[in-house]
Amino acid sequence: MKFLGLLFLLFTGFFFIPAHSQDTFSIVAVDSITGEVGSAGASCVDLFNTGFTDDSFLGELFPGVGAINSQAYYLPANQANARARMQAGDSPSEIIEWLQANDVEGRPQFRQYGIVAMVNGSPQSAGHTGASTDDYKNHLLGPNYAIQGNILLGQEVLDSMEARFVREEGDLACKLMAALQGANMVGADTRCSSNGSSSLFAFVKVAKPDDSFGQPSFKVSVRTRNGARIEPIDSLQSKFDAVHNCKTSGSTGLNLSNPNIRIFPNPVEGQLNLELEHENHEDLVYQLYDITGKMMIQDDFMNNTRLDFSSLNKGAYFLKITNGDQVHFSKVIKN
């Protein structure tokens, strides 16, 4: 019976996938300011020897809602169940609890998940790393992100991914790419030590709120062959840079054409002034977010509005002003 099972796996081309964990290191994240959701990951699996045509198959994006990465002894049926729970409106922690209780093989201890979603206007994250997932394994959670990995060189891979993600000041795509660069070390997935690389394939994808499910507006990926000794994260960075500029991307890319808004002083220490060049400001609403995407303030926008920053911690904040379908983003620095 074991022999017949082995023949089946070899015949279908999935021998490496079910027998080993994957994706080895990955991240899911939401940007509560822009509404974007994203996923990125990499693994030492030679996808040329599998039936997968999409290098980013294990990450699913739900535009305007959240994202799920399913990995470690990956099973499409578990991923489908996670998808159904997200579409049913479950929170990240509720999805994790459901998956643990309803694993299709009854082996949740072998699985790993990272999930993020917007819940009642605020980001939430949850993760699961089964006790029987291959070492080294762990996951890290932030307010708007989940980072997870298995078969890792060590905790330093996850820590470096988190540090690079948090430090990057660009948009969500830039932050996800930075997180992968944090794992750009030989043997990040220990199976790739002999290949002189971190992994064999890598991807980044981001969906905007108005994207269709399964059709993210931004996606780049790279797959390499085992033995080629190519670093896929470096190759991915080249493809990424050819289509996306992180030096100018930030969260200030959209602007209201009318009315003209003045926000000063910036940087600010005490009081931030919001003024309109024109008096017509009907239906304007402003929201202030911290760097993690947590909404600090929400109110109707009135001309000559004053925001008190004196009690806020130093760092970057984002001011979102909306008028119907028009949106204005401004990055505000508190000294």
Side-chain angles (χ1 to χ4, degrees):
M1 184 63 67
K2 290 183 179 179
F3 177 70
L4 290 176
L6 178 61
L7 283 179
F8 173 75
L9 291 174
L10 286 169
F11 179 76
T12 57
F14 286 86
F15 175 73
F16 202 29
I17 298 293
H20 292 78
S21 300
Q22 80 130 297
D23 205 345
T24 307
F25 47 89
S26 70
I27 177 172
V28 286
V30 298
D31 186 330
S32 59
I33 303 172
T34 66
E36 292 177 321
V37 298
S39 169
S43 181
C44 191
V45 172
D46 191 335
L47 292 185
F48 288 103
N49 296 328
T50 74
F52 291 107
T53 57
D54 180 5
D55 302 338
S56 65
F57 64 94
L58 58 86
E60 291 201 330
L61 306 181
F62 303 80
V65 179
I68 300 174
N69 278 4
S70 306
Q71 59 192 54
Y73 296 86
Y74 170 83
L75 289 175
N78 280 329
Q79 186 178 35
N81 285 337
R83 179 190 315 130
R85 299 319 309 166
M86 176 73 83
Q87 291 173 334
D90 287 2
S91 69
S93 59
E94 289 172 337
I95 296 172
I96 291 293
E97 291 176 6
W98 193 97
L99 291 172
Q100 289 180 272
N102 297 275
D103 185 86
V104 296
E105 292 183 339
R107 303 196 306 164
Q109 69 272 22
F110 285 92
R111 319 298 179 200
Q112 191 170 50
Y113 303 102
I115 305 177
V116 291
M118 294 298 297
V119 180
N120 297 324
S122 296
Q124 292 186 12
S125 65
H128 167 72
T129 299
S132 297
T133 305
D134 296 327
D135 286 327
Y136 176 80
K137 75 270 190 169
N138 199 3
H139 64 266
L140 300 173
L141 300 178
N144 65 324
Y145 61 87
I147 302 171
Q148 45 283 324
N150 55 85
I151 325 180
L152 298 178
L153 184 64
Q155 180 64 31
E156 61 268 27
V157 177
L158 301 177
D159 290 342
S160 180
M161 290 179 68
E162 182 178 44
R164 292 288 294 270
F165 177 83
V166 172
R167 268 201 322 264
E168 170 60 45
E169 295 184 353
D171 63 9
L172 185 59
C174 297
K175 292 175 76 68
L176 293 172
M177 187 68 240
L180 282 188
Q181 282 291 3
N184 189 350
M185 56 188 80
V186 173
D189 178 334
T190 55
R191 295 171 297 178
C192 266
S193 297
S194 61
N195 192 61
S197 66
S198 69
S199 51
L200 290 178
F201 76 88
F203 70 90
V204 173
K205 60 183 178 181
V206 173
K208 295 180 179 179
D210 57 354
D211 287 348
S212 298
F213 178 79
Q215 299 179 9
S217 53
F218 181 84
K219 183 168 76 170
V220 289
S221 66
V222 168
R223 64 170 66 185
T224 65
R225 293 187 181 276
N226 189 27
R229 301 185 67 82
I230 297 172
E231 175 49 63
I233 294 178
D234 287 340
S235 299
L236 185 70
Q237 185 74 66
S238 297
K239 292 183 69 173
F240 184 98
D241 292 343
V243 295
H244 198 73
N245 186 355
C246 289
K247 292 182 180 179
T248 60
S249 60
S251 295
T252 58
L254 301 177
N255 292 285
L256 277 170
S257 57
N258 184 24
N260 187 24
I261 301 171
R262 296 182 62 229
I263 299 172
F264 65 95
N266 191 9
V268 61
E269 293 185 359
Q271 183 171 269
L272 183 72
N273 302 291
L274 312 180
E275 292 187 357
L276 302 174
E277 185 174 295
H278 306 291
E279 288 299 320
N280 182 14
H281 51 76
E282 294 181 0
D283 301 323
L284 281 176
V285 176
Y286 73 87
Q287 297 166 322
L288 183 70
Y289 296 84
D290 67 12
I291 194 67
T292 70
K294 178 182 178 182
M295 188 168 65
M296 313 288 290
I297 304 171
Q298 176 175 300
D299 204 350
D300 293 336
F301 187 103
M302 304 298 292
N303 200 8
N304 300 318
T305 294
R306 305 289 182 262
L307 297 182
D308 185 8
F309 271 67
S310 59
S311 62
L312 299 181
N313 294 329
K314 294 181 179 180
Y317 294 84
F318 296 97
L319 186 68
K320 177 181 179 180
I321 302 173
T322 58
N323 179 13
D325 294 332
Q326 297 185 65
V327 181
H328 173 92
F329 290 116
S330 288
K331 187 175 182 179
V332 180
I333 302 299
K334 165 65 187 304
N335 282 339

